[in-house]
């Protein structure tokens, strides 16, 4: 395997101050213009890859995908460094990733569940393994440099949640006595690594399937409560697929039924009280099924983009009305700034410039 990650570690450390400066810009002007189109520039094309997990580190892009593949795009020289990870005779399928200032993490679906972090020797280090036959993890995220969480489908009577308190060196699975009981058929979708949203010490987790609910923690995963959503649910393919929070009060959930992608009823909702209650938006109007939703930075919880294999849709009024900007399909999206994002999907990653 190529020694990709000494380079990634250098970039992570270099980007630490960049992230800090961005968060301290309290007087950043709010986004005022309404976008009417998007320019799509492919930066990676590989038909063998299905990419559902990307993140932006500084100005660079990292991904984890099927076929054990993971990589880094250096935006300065526009060069990809791509490697593969194997486990015994298994080629993992990665659908989740996260980063701290010092480390990169990627998490596979299925059993055994495999969670890797960057190691000191330039190779990925296995830091968590779960061999339960029902193991299936869907998303991973961090509150800070030390504390992180990954969530997955139930293996017992609750959603699977593992947490770290030491920077990802060790992970512990929360006992079901600490979590709300899962409903029959309740699970989550590994569609875009966006079942978890974090603001400060808070976390929200979106479930889907026969039951689609919001799990909420105010104390970095030590205690949890659960709230119902009005999303379409009742079948294993229905419910919430993606979530984002603009701040501690304003959030959006989206999904539907990927087997009926034109369905646009009961597939998108917003909250203004931190996830306790939700209101359907644009109900009966497009967009239909989407797998990833994100607020525009500095968009005052009004400017939102949603992507799926059905295309790219945009709203500038908090989700009341939407405009289709492109029919090009993607699975997941992350923002570089308030007019540029990167999106990934089947066989490609692209830069999106909103205009």
């Amino acid at each position: 395997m190529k020694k990709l990650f000494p380079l990634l570690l250098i970039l992570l450390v270099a980007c630490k101050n960049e992230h800090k400066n961005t968060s301290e810009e309290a007087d950043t002007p709010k986004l005022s213009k309404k976008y009417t189109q998007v320019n799509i520039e492919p930066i990676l094309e590989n038909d063998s890859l299905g990419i559902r997990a990307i993140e932006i580190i500084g100005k660079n892009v990292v991904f984890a995908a099927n076929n054990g593949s993971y990589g880094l795009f250096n935006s300065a020289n526009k060069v990809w460094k791509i490697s593969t990870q194997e486990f015994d005779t298994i080629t993992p399928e990665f659908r989740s990733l996260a980063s701290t200032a010092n480390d990169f993490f990627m998490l596979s679906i299925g059993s055994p569940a495999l969670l890797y972090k960057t190691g000191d020797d330039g190779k990925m280090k296995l830091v968590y393994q779960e061999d339960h036959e029902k193991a299936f993890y869907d998303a991973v995220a961090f509150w800070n440099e030390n504390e992180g969480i990954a969530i997955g489908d139930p293996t017992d009577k609750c959603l699977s949640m593992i947490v770290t308190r030491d920077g990802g060196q060790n992970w512990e699975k929360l006992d079901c006595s600490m979590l709300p009981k899962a409903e029959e058929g309740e699970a989550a979708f590994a569609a875009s690594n966006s079942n978890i949203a974090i603001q400060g010490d808070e976390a929200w987790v979106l479930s889907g399937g026969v039951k689609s609910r919001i799990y909420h923690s105010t104390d970095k995963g030590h205690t949890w409560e659960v709230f119902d959503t009005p999303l379409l649910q009742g079948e294993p393919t229905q419910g919430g697929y993606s979530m984002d929070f603009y701040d501690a009060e304003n959030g959006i959930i989206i999904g539907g039924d990927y087997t009926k992608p034109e369905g646009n009823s009961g597939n998108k909702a917003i909250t203004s009280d931190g996830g306790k209650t939700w209101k359907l938006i644009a109900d009966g109007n497009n967009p239909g099924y989407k797998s990833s939703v994100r607020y525009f930075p500095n968009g005052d919880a009004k400017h939102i983009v949603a992507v799926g294999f059905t295309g790219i849709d945009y709203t500038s009024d908090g989700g009341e009305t939407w405009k289709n900007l492109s029919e090009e399909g993607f699975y997941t999206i992350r923002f570089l700034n308030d007019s540029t994002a990167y999106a990934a999907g089947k066989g490609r990653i692209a830069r999106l410039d909103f205009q």
Side-chain angles (χ1 to χ4, degrees), residues 191-221:
S192 59
N193 191 38
S194 56
N195 310 82
I196 306 170
I198 285 179
Q199 291 284 336
D201 292 344
E202 296 188 69
W204 295 264
V205 169
L206 173 64
S207 68
V210 177
K211 191 70 174 179
S212 187
R213 300 192 291 175
I214 295 290
Y215 292 72
H216 179 227
S217 174
T218 60
D219 55 9
K220 292 182 285 190

Side-chain angles (χ1 to χ4, degrees), residues 42 92 231 319:
L231 294 182

Side-chain angles (χ1 to χ4, degrees), residues 11-51:
L11 289 169
L12 282 166
V13 173
C15 292
K16 186 174 182 180
N17 289 334
E18 183 172 342
H19 282 297
K20 182 177 179 181
N21 291 340
T22 300
S23 65
E24 290 176 351
E25 291 175 357
D27 297 326
T28 300
K30 298 297 184 183
L31 183 62
S32 58
K33 70 175 294 184
K34 295 180 180 180
Y35 296 115
T36 59
Q37 59 186 6
V38 61
N39 180 62
I40 301 172
E41 177 190 358
I43 61 170
L44 175 66
E45 294 180 293
N46 184 327
D47 290 341
S48 70
L49 296 179
I51 306 169

Side-chain angles (χ1 to χ4, degrees), residues 83-191:
S83 294
T84 57
Q85 180 68 50
E86 294 183 352
F87 176 79
D88 292 336
T89 59
I90 298 171
T91 301
E93 180 172 347
F94 297 110
R95 294 197 187 179
S96 305
L97 68 85
S99 66
T100 63
N102 298 310
D103 285 299
F104 168 87
F105 299 83
M106 56 188 190
L107 176 60
S108 70
I109 59 171
S111 180
L114 305 169
L115 177 57
Y116 289 89
K117 71 177 288 293
T118 43
D120 295 336
D121 62 355
K123 296 182 179 181
M124 299 300 287
K125 174 185 177 183
L126 183 65
V127 291
Y128 181 79
Q129 178 179 341
E130 186 174 330
D131 295 306
H132 195 287
E133 62 181 2
K134 295 182 179 179
F136 196 102
Y137 281 86
D138 304 285
V140 60
F142 276 77
W143 285 282
N144 52 48
E145 297 305 299
N146 293 315
E147 296 169 291
I149 181 173
I151 66 99
D153 296 354
T155 57
D156 196 358
K157 297 180 179 180
C158 63
L159 288 186
S160 295
M161 295 192 190
I162 58 174
V163 296
T164 181
R165 308 289 181 189
D166 63 0
Q169 295 288 346
N170 297 282
W171 295 76
E172 179 181 0
K173 190 168 186 177
L174 299 183
D175 188 82
C176 281
S177 63
M178 301 175 62
L179 296 167
K181 182 180 178 181
E183 299 285 350
E184 184 69 27
E186 183 177 16
F189 295 109

Side-chain angles (χ1 to χ4, degrees), residues 8 22 32 55 61 67 95 97 112 135 154 164 170 173 181 223 228 233 260 269 307:
L8 179 55
T22 300
S32 58
E55 292 292 343
V61 182
N67 299 330
R95 294 197 187 179
L97 68 85
T164 181
N170 297 282
K173 190 168 186 177
K181 182 180 178 181
T223 61
D228 289 332
Q233 51 199 284
K260 301 174 182 177
V307 304

